[in-house]
Amino acid sequence: MTTDDKTGVQPLLARPRDILAMATSSDPWSPAVTAAIALAARWASNLTSCYIEPSLRQVGGADLEPSALGLLLQPRGDDGGERAAFASHAHRLGVREAVWTVTHAGLAPTLRRLGAWHDLAVLERDMVEGAHLFDILGEAMLTSRIPCLLLPPGRDDEQLLLDRVAIGWNGGIEAVRAIHSALPFLQAAKEVLLIDGTPPGADDAEEKVPRFDPLNYLLRHNVMVRSRQIQVPPHLAGATLLKEAQGMHANLLVVGAYSHSRLRERVLGGATRHMLLHAEIPVLMQH
């Protein structure tokens, strides 16, 4: 930790106090659980792991009542053995408080409810089948508004090295929220690159509102960052961001999700949709 030269005071580092993992298995522990344990141990965070069974992962509709869902499905009950095993496993790896629970509702309502008292959710991108990925996972992020760390398929890394971070910046409020939520990752990173794709004249519509400067904001929070400006058509934004992140060998990409309406995202393809489908590194998204 560095010290401010003018005041001699050590800067406070950001950290999420409560982390949520959406678990897809307990034997072995699924990648989201493994990653969330690593983060909770690193930041001395409380950890909740919520198991969601395969049938419930495919259920859409943020307002579907659990009682109605129960008529269609018979999700497994809470298992005291799993709770004890998870707590023991997490404590052994350095997590102070760890709780295992089971949801009886779909992903979107679960994430919306649990997200109300958690600071970060960790999910496996392939927990939802490809045909439903955009609708169900996208709906969950859109309605919960909690920052979500999405792990690519095949990711199962106990160390979860996320020290080279690319940030996708387009001037939108979603990108501002994503940068703010990503501070714990950014402050710990060895290299941070801001990929600036702000459209010309993007500030004109909000000229009466104080402007958010991402570079100044990050420097105020002790994040050394460099910037690279790009100009691409909107339909190429997602692919370009992933290419730029790959070029710097990033192991984390930070982006705002759904900068446009859901309908426009669906019609245009959208950067959010492209990254949900194609990112090969963890992506921190927030609406």
Side-chain angles (χ1 to χ4, degrees), residues 165-234:
V165 186
I167 303 172
W169 172 249
N170 64 358
I173 190 66
E174 295 81 8
V176 176
R177 291 191 184 110
I179 290 174
H180 176 73
S181 298
L183 279 177
F185 297 96
L186 298 172
Q187 290 177 333
K190 295 179 180 178
E191 181 179 359
V192 178
L193 172 65
L194 184 93
I195 303 168
D196 187 351
T198 308
D203 292 333
D204 294 349
E206 298 182 0
E207 59 183 4
K208 296 182 181 180
V209 179
R211 178 176 175 271
F212 176 84
D213 185 326
L215 297 179
N216 285 342
Y217 176 82
L218 291 172
L219 288 175
R220 282 172 50 202
H221 287 276
N222 302 285
V223 177
M224 299 304 297
V225 57
R226 59 188 179 92
S227 177
R228 174 174 169 78
Q229 186 122 22
I230 59 171
Q231 293 296 332
V232 296

Side-chain angles (χ1 to χ4, degrees), residues 82-178:
E82 284 181 335
R83 291 199 301 271
F86 172 70
S88 176
H89 178 66
H91 292 162
R92 187 170 65 252
L93 294 176
V95 180
R96 182 178 54 195
E97 296 289 340
V99 176
W100 176 270
T101 188
V102 176
T103 182
H104 300 286
L107 178 60
T110 297
L111 197 60
R112 182 176 58 183
R113 181 63 63 89
L114 271 64
W117 75 87
H118 288 84
D119 305 302
L120 174 70
V122 184
L123 304 93
E124 299 145 32
R125 199 177 73 210
D126 57 351
M127 69 183 298
V128 179
E129 292 180 359
H132 305 289
L133 171 66
F134 185 65
D135 288 332
I136 295 177
L137 196 54
E139 177 187 40
M141 290 190 297
L142 189 67
T143 58
S144 70
R145 301 201 174 191
I146 185 176
C148 295
L149 180 64
L150 302 175
L151 305 179
R155 182 80 184 215
D156 194 2
D157 185 351
E158 292 186 1
Q159 298 302 316
L160 199 66
L161 184 64
L162 303 173
D163 61 351
R164 300 173 67 88
V165 186
I167 303 172
W169 172 249
N170 64 358
I173 190 66
E174 295 81 8
V176 176
R177 291 191 184 110

Side-chain angles (χ1 to χ4, degrees), residues 35-58:
I37 287 175
L39 294 175
R42 185 180 307 169
W43 290 322
S45 306
N46 301 317
L47 175 60
T48 303
S49 187
C50 180
Y51 176 78
I52 178 168
E53 68 170 46
S55 56
L56 289 169
R57 298 172 212 161
Q58 309 305 319

Side-chain angles (χ1 to χ4, degrees), residues 5-23:
D5 293 335
K6 295 181 180 179
T7 64
V9 176
Q10 289 183 331
L12 293 176
L13 299 183
R15 67 177 179 91
R17 296 185 179 277
D18 293 277
I19 297 176
L20 168 67
M22 293 306 302

